[in-house]
Amino acid sequence: MTRKPSVCQEIEPALLATAIGDADTVTAARVEVHARTCALCRQDLVRYRAIEDAVGAWRGAPAPAEELAHARLESRLAALRRRTLLYRIFPSPLGPILIARSEEGVSCVEYLTGGADFAHSRLSRDEGIEALLDGAEVEALYRDLLEYVEGRRTRLEWPLDLRLARSEFHRTVLETTARIPYGAVRSYAGVARELGKPSATRAVAQALRWNPLPIVVPCHRVIGASGALTGYAGNRVTLKQRLLAVEGVRTRPAHRDFRIERDAMYACAGTDAEYCVPTCGSLAERSLADLTLYASRARAEAAGLAPCTACRPDLHPISR
Amino acid sequence: MDAEGFDTLVATHHREIYRYLVRATFRASEADDLAQETFLRAYRAHRALPPDANARAWLFAIASNVAKNHFRAESRRRRAHTGVREIRIETDGAGPEGETLFKEARTVLDTVVAGLPLKQRLAFTLRKVHDLDYDAIGRSLACSPDSARAHVFQALRKIRRSLNGYELPVGRDER
């Protein structure tokens, strides 16, 4: 290989830059001047430019199977989006809480009893989902939720995604529970009856035990037929009492549990459009499984009920 | 970046990222996998991307990383099975099952570029085919803009030497 003169070696990077259009005008002019007198460098310049031209043909040229690859990507991305949940963990008066949402809606609210990190979440054990830590979209939900548990908000108008429900039956239980109004309580048996499965009381309780959206799907408003709160989030029945208290539902402690103050609540039987004082004759034969109880007249009326024309709770409200 | 922005990103850039990876691997099936990997990673991270970020350069950086990891894993495998699939990709580029991209139309230039060391090949492709600036190439390859430029120049020198005596069919009139 012939060694180039040092002047050529020195100008080589500039020559290369010029050939591929990277050089400024001064450098390019210097290279052109040199190339005019140096055949070797002139030849190099031609070759580099030929490469440049040949590569230029690659630009914008489609690759083989491009559309097929694109279609495959679209379908994999769609699958990923379907299984992705965005979550964040927040402090709350009820302990650390994880909130997660999918593109369709809020899919998980979880009390992290083991500690405020993801490893303690049910999501970490669910292979069907991919949980991504992300704050921005979940942050607004958290603010709503805080206001809600502090009693400064009575509605969470969130789109819900019940994908974490364990079965179709669980999903139906959750949907029915979600319709229990703020400040009201019903019994497990009552929910089972509404579903047309009066013997499924325990199954309803199980479904609510696995409620992926506590607070939002208000399983705290579902109690035992005796009036006892019975259970919540494992053994945290005090949380249930607390959430009910925020909504104005009064309870008293009873045997390591709480019992609602049934005498202090207005009642509505079955699908009636009226609410009564608890002493109303029309309720005499009714068990709690048949009733929805309301913490106040305002709550009953907010749920669309009218005062009973027999007991007239509007004229003779419960005296406290 | 929001979900809509991400959709646009996929629609606008998947094809060129795929082409880039085809140049990087010289095998359509691998490029397909790597492009998918690139966009799945991008999906997982896109919410953290500031609205004013250069999303295109960001995608090329992810794709470059994915390609580098791929070849690292490939060379580990190759070392583990020495002699079985010798330097198939780096110098030859032809797949065994006839999935070679440029079987018919493959030019000498394709072959020469396929034979470049990975970083030079990536830098060269990013610069000359996809027109990224040296800053973006540097970010893609985890090096400074100056080394990015050095990789491109080195690639060009090698291509010129490899083509020595071989006249490219497309040429500029130079008298």
Side-chain angles (χ1 to χ4, degrees):
Chain A
M1 208 176 178
T2 46
R3 259 186 80 78
K4 286 184 180 175
S6 61
V7 55
C8 296
Q9 283 180 29
E10 185 264 323
I11 208 166
E12 193 269 352
L15 180 143
L16 220 171
T18 303
I20 64 170
D22 268 9
D24 56 56
T25 48
V26 176
T27 311
R30 191 161 61 92
V31 169
E32 293 293 345
V33 167
H34 171 76
R36 239 172 267 151
T37 59
C38 172
L40 271 179
C41 287
R42 196 159 58 239
Q43 195 185 35
D44 278 354
L45 205 53
V46 172
R47 283 187 176 145
Y48 281 130
R49 281 181 174 153
I51 295 169
E52 176 78 4
D53 285 353
V55 172
W58 293 359
R59 260 171 242 157
E66 202 167 278
E67 291 314 309
L68 189 66
H70 193 71
R72 272 204 284 260
L73 172 72
E74 293 276 12
S75 90
R76 271 195 81 183
L77 273 177
L80 174 62
R81 297 173 99 133
R82 275 196 300 278
R83 65 169 198 274
T84 297
L85 294 185
L86 304 176
Y87 77 93
R88 238 182 96 181
I89 295 166
F90 301 97
S92 91
L94 311 174
I97 275 187
L98 176 146
I99 304 177
R101 67 162 299 156
S102 68
E103 285 189 6
E104 278 114 69
V106 184
S107 36
C108 186
V109 169
E110 187 181 16
Y111 300 114
L112 296 180
T113 43
D117 68 82
F118 184 69
H120 292 104
S121 165
R122 63 193 282 173
L123 300 184
S124 70
R125 296 181 292 275
D126 192 328
E127 305 215 324
I129 59 155
E130 176 156 333
L132 297 179
L133 182 61
D134 188 276
E137 290 184 52
V138 184
E139 186 88 47
L141 300 175
Y142 168 61
R143 281 196 299 273
D144 287 357
L145 195 76
L146 261 192
E147 289 180 14
Y148 193 84
V149 301
E150 287 165 1
R152 290 184 283 129
R153 167 189 283 275
T154 60
R155 277 172 195 280
L156 292 173
E157 274 147 355
W158 297 348
L160 300 187
D161 174 0
L162 295 178
R163 73 172 63 198
L164 295 178
R166 295 188 161 197
S167 67
E168 215 30 61
F169 175 74
H170 280 203
R171 175 187 288 264
T172 334
V173 171
L174 296 174
E175 282 163 357
T176 307
T177 304
R179 289 195 293 271
I180 303 175
Y182 191 85
V185 294
R186 297 188 67 184
S187 66
Y188 295 103
V191 173
R193 280 190 200 185
E194 183 177 335
L195 292 171
K197 298 188 173 174
S199 62
T201 306
R202 277 175 179 278
V204 166
Q206 272 303 310
L208 293 181
R209 182 168 125 79
W210 293 109
N211 177 10
L213 287 158
I215 306 175
V216 189
V217 170
C219 57
H220 60 277
R221 294 180 199 145
V222 185
I223 60 174
S226 65
L229 302 192
T230 65
Y232 190 70
N235 56 355
R236 308 180 71 199
V237 79
T238 45
L239 277 189
K240 190 169 186 172
Q241 185 271 334
R242 192 164 162 180
L243 286 168
L244 287 173
V246 167
E247 300 183 15
V249 175
R250 296 203 294 185
T251 53
R252 61 191 142 79
H255 308 296
R256 275 187 274 153
D257 195 348
F258 295 86
R259 200 171 278 272
I260 54 156
E261 303 257 26
R262 198 175 155 180
D263 293 346
M265 297 185 81
Y266 296 90
C268 171
T271 53
D272 281 2
E274 296 184 342
Y275 69 95
C276 309
V277 293
T279 47
C280 178
S282 69
L283 300 177
E285 302 293 305
R286 305 283 198 160
S287 82
L288 217 163
D290 246 352
L291 303 176
T292 305
L293 301 180
Y294 289 89
S296 65
R297 286 178 51 215
R299 294 291 165 226
E301 282 170 20
L305 301 178
C308 168
T309 47
C311 67
R312 297 303 298 267
D314 48 336
L315 299 181
H316 313 286
I318 301 170
S319 54
R320 308 230 161 166
Chain B
M1 174 181 288
D2 58 10
E4 213 172 291
F6 185 76
D7 286 342
T8 313
L9 209 62
V10 175
T12 321
H13 299 300
H14 171 253
R15 286 169 187 83
E16 63 171 339
I17 292 291
Y18 174 67
R19 287 172 200 171
Y20 169 53
L21 290 165
V22 166
R23 287 280 160 208
T25 62
F26 281 85
R27 284 154 66 93
S29 67
E30 279 173 17
D32 187 2
D33 288 347
L34 299 186
Q36 288 185 24
E37 174 69 24
T38 301
F39 279 88
L40 295 185
R41 281 197 198 181
Y43 177 74
R44 293 183 179 106
H46 76 276
R47 289 173 202 84
L49 193 70
D52 59 341
N54 181 345
R56 182 171 179 262
W58 176 71
L59 283 174
F60 272 105
I62 299 176
S64 304
N65 262 315
V66 166
K68 279 191 282 184
N69 291 343
H70 168 76
F71 283 108
R72 208 171 294 143
E74 181 83 6
S75 71
R76 259 202 305 277
R77 264 199 302 283
R78 216 181 299 133
R79 270 200 302 279
H81 311 276
T82 320
V84 180
R85 298 167 67 185
E86 258 180 356
I87 49 175
R88 194 194 67 213
I89 285 164
E90 298 262 28
T91 64
D92 177 279
E97 304 91 19
E99 61 169 327
T100 313
L101 290 178
F102 307 97
K103 209 159 52 179
E104 309 299 333
R106 191 178 174 121
T107 65
V108 180
L109 185 62
D110 286 317
T111 316
V112 170
V113 171
L116 292 172
L118 183 64
K119 269 205 172 182
Q120 290 177 18
R121 185 160 85 238
L122 297 183
F124 176 77
T125 311
L126 289 172
R127 178 70 196 140
K128 299 320 298 179
V129 182
H130 298 285
D131 217 19
L132 259 64
D133 61 32
Y134 291 113
D135 281 348
I137 298 171
R139 276 198 300 280
S140 279
L141 302 179
C143 63
S144 67
D146 281 346
S147 345
R149 180 195 297 269
H151 285 312
V152 175
F153 278 33
Q154 215 36 47
L156 276 156
R157 290 188 185 104
K158 281 196 186 156
I159 294 168
R160 181 183 62 79
R161 278 202 296 275
S162 305
L163 292 174
N164 212 6
Y166 181 92
E167 292 306 320
L168 284 167
V170 207
R172 207 176 287 184
D173 271 347
E174 194 84 25
R175 273 172 276 270

